[in-house]
Amino acid sequence: MSSDFKINNNLFGSLNEIINIPFMLIDNTGDVLSFNKEAGLLFHFKKEINNIYDELDDPSGEMVSGLIEKLLNNNTPITQLNNLRFQSGEEIRGEIMLNQYSGQQENYILFSLKKSEITAPLSVTELSILDIDMSGIIKNVEILKLIEEASQNYPFSLIGKETFRKKIDKLEEPFWIEDIKGNYFIVNYSLSRQTGVKSKQMEGRQVSSYLIPVLSSLYKSINNFIRNSGNSIIIKGIPFNEINKSGQFETIQYPMFDSKHNYISSIGFTQKIVMKNDDLPLILEPLPYAAAHIDRNEEICRFNSRFVQLVNRDQKTILNTSFREILPSELADLINDFKQGNTTETRIIFTGKFSDDEGISETFNVYLSKLFSKVNEPEGVLIFLEVDSSKYDFENLIKRRGTMFDILIQNNPEPIFIYDTENLRFLEVNNAALNLYGYKKEEFLQMDFTDLYTPEDIQTLLDSSNTPDKFGKFTGPYRHKTKTGASVFVEISKFEFKFNDKDAHFNIIRDVTQNLIKERENQLYKSAFDNSQSLLFITDSSGFITFVNEVVTDVLDYSKTEIENNSFASLVKNEDRGTIT
């Protein structure tokens, strides 16, 4: 330690006695050179050498490291409201204040923390789950293009990921992709800059570790809900604990699925919003399903209009009433079992009626999630009730014609069409099928499945139409005709589903025309090769024999095993080997 610092160490000793908030002097590696009693108690420092990063969990340590780097680069004091999590599990919220102190040879950092008596703001005033085309919601068209690119290429190759990173780093909006385990897969510069943590330090870590603690369990449960429903989610506000711009921004989470509609990841980003005077902070109202919040006293404290319609009660009789008086007794028992169990979220199936009116019982998917306060005390249960329409889910996907429809059907590179099994009329077709058969969409939808067959192939059509296969299994090949009358050979994978209450077949088409042509050419070449009276050899680029016809073995009196995998030059006389080589 320099003499300059030793002299001024007396000054820091005096400051330590005077300043009554956690205060310390650290170097750029995080080593603590001096600290007061409040900092020692808060960070559990000992008398020997301490390092601030040893006491913080990884996300908090990375956040502090990012702030220090920003301080040293900009040479400007920093004051920022943050949550700090310690290795012990303790967490506090307060203003971190950083400034530089120049010694003889090094720059040191003055670190102080003014603890906030106010808990972290909720930062969310409204939540919407949407099943419409997101193009009407997303304001930046570049984000729409990036969503489409990610949907087609995720998971990225190493080079593809870095190419994609360059594109998202140009966005002003924070943008990220969350993998199936809830970890950041990729983070752009805007989010990194606002959280104070480098992008590649955030990647691979849990998204929940960067959220406002009081929102973490709610975010997780609702995120799990949209994984199952396939909808997008909009949060009015920003749920990250380092960003305090809740009234100006909204966070959008967009789930991505593979070709079999399995959830694989989600895209998240924020965008500015313009608040209207009539916007109401009704967090459950925008949800497309019946939803209610049961508080710790087992009373219903929040609900939306769909819940009112479902239970067929007046709103005044629902509010602050025990859920046992509102919900069917069988469902109330299931909820009670969940409250007393160890799981924090679950999905159960309930079949019954919510009122005594005449009508048949319905089956519901019931999503339950426990809510907890910042200090991990139970705050009740969030309940979503969705009519179980699983057998119509695919029909709804076709009808909605949203982004998911475009990804799975309209932009699918494989030709796809749907027809009514009763009259074989086409009901839907994608661009790839139109390109294959040469029709315009309005022309194709005026046709039926028989129009793709020649009269002599109709029996083949009738046989195949009556034997639907499991999804993913291709049968054929079948000969179809295009608008010009040309023939194409296709394989078909189809399955049954309901479309407008009618039985329909969903067909995925695979054009195998070129494959069949090549196969026939190969058969002709093989037939010519085998039946030729000439000695025919096939060698690799090094001159080693890979295949011979039978004439070679008859004339040279070698077996195939003796000839193949040997050098062709070894079969000729020594004086001719140079010529062959």
Side-chain angles (χ1 to χ4, degrees), residues 327-337 348 350-353:
L327 301 177
S329 58
E330 299 89 344
L331 178 57
D333 290 340
L334 293 172
I335 295 174
N336 188 62
D337 291 343
I348 58 178
F350 168 72
T351 302
K353 297 188 296 183

Side-chain angles (χ1 to χ4, degrees), residues 140-147 164-176 188-191 193-194 267-270:
N140 187 344
V141 294
E142 292 303 317
I143 292 180
L144 280 172
K145 295 177 182 177
L146 291 168
I147 289 177
F164 190 73
R165 186 191 303 280
K166 291 180 181 178
K167 295 179 181 179
I168 63 176
D169 279 346
K170 295 178 181 179
L171 296 174
E172 293 183 1
E173 300 89 344
F175 184 100
W176 65 93
N188 77 340
Y189 173 72
S190 179
L191 180 60
R193 175 169 49 82
Q194 296 196 43
I267 294 173
F269 59 94
T270 68

Side-chain angles (χ1 to χ4, degrees), residues 120-179:
L122 183 62
S123 272
V124 171
T125 58
E126 182 179 322
L127 178 129
S128 303
I129 296 179
L130 304 178
D131 60 355
I132 62 175
D133 189 348
M134 292 297 290
S135 61
I137 302 297
I138 300 173
K139 298 177 175 60
N140 187 344
V141 294
E142 292 303 317
I143 292 180
L144 280 172
K145 295 177 182 177
L146 291 168
I147 289 177
E148 182 177 355
E149 180 177 345
S151 300
Q152 294 175 354
N153 298 311
Y154 183 88
F156 296 97
S157 65
L158 183 61
I159 296 176
K161 182 177 180 180
E162 294 309 312
T163 301
F164 190 73
R165 186 191 303 280
K166 291 180 181 178
K167 295 179 181 179
I168 63 176
D169 279 346
K170 295 178 181 179
L171 296 174
E172 293 183 1
E173 300 89 344
F175 184 100
W176 65 93
I177 295 180
E178 174 184 338
D179 67 21

Side-chain angles (χ1 to χ4, degrees), residues 374-500:
K374 183 182 177 183
V375 293
N376 208 33
E377 292 182 354
E379 289 289 344
V381 174
L382 196 62
I383 174 174
F384 299 94
L385 299 115
E386 173 193 16
V387 176
D388 182 13
S389 57
S390 56
K391 65 181 179 180
Y392 299 111
D393 283 349
F394 196 80
E395 177 184 2
N396 291 333
L397 172 64
I398 303 297
K399 288 180 178 178
R400 284 203 299 266
R401 285 180 143 68
T403 304
M404 194 56 61
F405 170 85
D406 291 337
I407 293 172
L408 296 181
I409 298 177
Q410 198 56 259
N411 295 331
N412 196 308
E414 298 285 3
I416 293 173
F417 54 69
I418 300 168
Y419 63 79
D420 187 326
T421 57
E422 181 177 355
N423 55 27
L424 303 184
R425 296 278 297 186
F426 288 118
L427 304 173
E428 186 57 73
V429 61
N430 73 348
N431 292 329
L434 296 175
N435 292 335
L436 175 63
Y437 294 104
Y439 292 97
K440 295 181 180 179
K441 186 170 184 177
E442 55 270 21
E443 294 175 330
F444 200 88
L445 296 182
Q446 294 298 317
M447 299 162 48
D448 62 50
F449 196 28
T450 63
D451 292 321
L452 300 183
Y453 287 79
T454 58
E456 58 268 26
D457 292 326
I458 290 295
Q459 187 59 46
T460 304
L461 162 64
L462 297 176
D463 293 341
S464 65
S465 297
N466 293 326
T467 56
D469 298 292
K470 293 182 179 180
F471 182 71
K473 182 179 179 182
F474 283 86
T475 59
Y478 307 104
R479 183 169 63 177
H480 284 181
K481 64 177 181 179
T482 66
K483 183 178 181 179
T484 63
S487 294
V488 292
F489 293 90
V490 300
E491 293 178 340
I492 302 177
S493 172
K494 61 180 177 289
F495 64 90
E496 294 179 343
F497 77 110
K498 288 287 186 180
F499 189 87
N500 293 332

Side-chain angles (χ1 to χ4, degrees), residues 68-136:
I68 291 175
E69 183 176 345
K70 183 177 180 180
L71 170 73
L72 297 177
N73 289 338
N74 298 336
N75 196 25
T76 303
I78 291 176
T79 300
Q80 185 164 316
L81 187 65
N82 286 91
N83 282 49
L84 280 180
R85 292 189 182 99
F86 297 88
Q87 294 286 358
S88 62
E90 182 184 1
E91 181 174 356
I92 64 167
R93 181 170 179 80
E95 280 187 340
I96 296 175
M97 292 169 281
L98 301 177
N99 207 338
Q100 286 194 73
Y101 167 74
S102 297
Q104 189 175 27
Q105 297 177 342
E106 293 186 70
N107 289 330
Y108 301 97
I109 296 101
L110 298 172
F111 181 108
S112 58
L113 176 67
K114 183 179 180 181
K115 289 189 287 186
S116 174
E117 299 299 326
I118 303 174
T119 57
L122 183 62
S123 272
V124 171
T125 58
E126 182 179 322
L127 178 129
S128 303
I129 296 179
L130 304 178
D131 60 355
I132 62 175
D133 189 348
M134 292 297 290
S135 61

Side-chain angles (χ1 to χ4, degrees), residues 85-312:
R85 292 189 182 99
F86 297 88
Q87 294 286 358
S88 62
E90 182 184 1
E91 181 174 356
I92 64 167
R93 181 170 179 80
E95 280 187 340
I96 296 175
M97 292 169 281
L98 301 177
N99 207 338
Q100 286 194 73
Y101 167 74
S102 297
Q104 189 175 27
Q105 297 177 342
E106 293 186 70
N107 289 330
Y108 301 97
I109 296 101
L110 298 172
F111 181 108
S112 58
L113 176 67
K114 183 179 180 181
K115 289 189 287 186
S116 174
E117 299 299 326
I118 303 174
T119 57
L122 183 62
S123 272
V124 171
T125 58
E126 182 179 322
L127 178 129
S128 303
I129 296 179
L130 304 178
D131 60 355
I132 62 175
D133 189 348
M134 292 297 290
S135 61
I137 302 297
I138 300 173
K139 298 177 175 60
N140 187 344
V141 294
E142 292 303 317
I143 292 180
L144 280 172
K145 295 177 182 177
L146 291 168
I147 289 177
E148 182 177 355
E149 180 177 345
S151 300
Q152 294 175 354
N153 298 311
Y154 183 88
F156 296 97
S157 65
L158 183 61
I159 296 176
K161 182 177 180 180
E162 294 309 312
T163 301
F164 190 73
R165 186 191 303 280
K166 291 180 181 178
K167 295 179 181 179
I168 63 176
D169 279 346
K170 295 178 181 179
L171 296 174
E172 293 183 1
E173 300 89 344
F175 184 100
W176 65 93
I177 295 180
E178 174 184 338
D179 67 21
I180 195 170
K181 295 180 180 179
N183 299 324
Y184 284 117
F185 172 76
I186 191 170
V187 170
N188 77 340
Y189 173 72
S190 179
L191 180 60
S192 168
R193 175 169 49 82
Q194 296 196 43
T195 58
V197 182
K198 292 182 178 180
S199 299
K200 293 191 177 180
Q201 290 178 326
M202 294 180 69
E203 290 167 9
R205 299 196 181 279
Q206 282 281 308
V207 174
S208 59
S209 64
Y210 293 91
L211 299 176
I212 296 173
V214 74
L215 287 178
S216 183
S217 60
L218 177 63
Y219 181 88
K220 182 179 178 182
S221 62
I222 293 179
N223 206 25
N224 186 57
F225 172 73
I226 64 170
R227 290 184 184 196
N228 293 314
S229 68
N231 294 325
S232 298
I233 182 172
I234 298 181
I235 300 174
K236 291 293 178 66
I238 301 181
F240 298 103
N241 55 13
E242 287 85 9
I243 306 175
N244 190 21
K245 300 178 180 177
S246 58
Q248 306 168 11
F249 292 82
E250 61 187 2
T251 301
I252 298 178
Q253 196 87 353
Y254 175 85
M256 292 195 294
F257 300 86
D258 62 17
S259 60
K260 296 182 180 179
H261 203 60
N262 296 317
Y263 174 85
I264 53 174
S265 64
S266 64
I267 294 173
F269 59 94
T270 68
Q271 63 182 13
K272 290 184 178 181
I273 58 175
V274 178
M275 296 297 292
K276 301 176 183 178
N277 293 330
D278 57 352
D279 282 343
L280 297 175
L282 303 175
I283 194 168
L284 298 180
E285 184 57 37
L287 297 177
Y289 310 110
H293 177 189
I294 302 170
D295 65 19
R296 67 176 71 182
N297 298 319
E298 298 192 347
E299 295 179 351
I300 298 176
C301 59
R302 293 187 182 90
F303 50 87
N304 62 5
S305 57
R306 290 176 177 82
F307 184 81
V308 175
Q309 295 171 2
L310 177 64
V311 300
N312 196 23

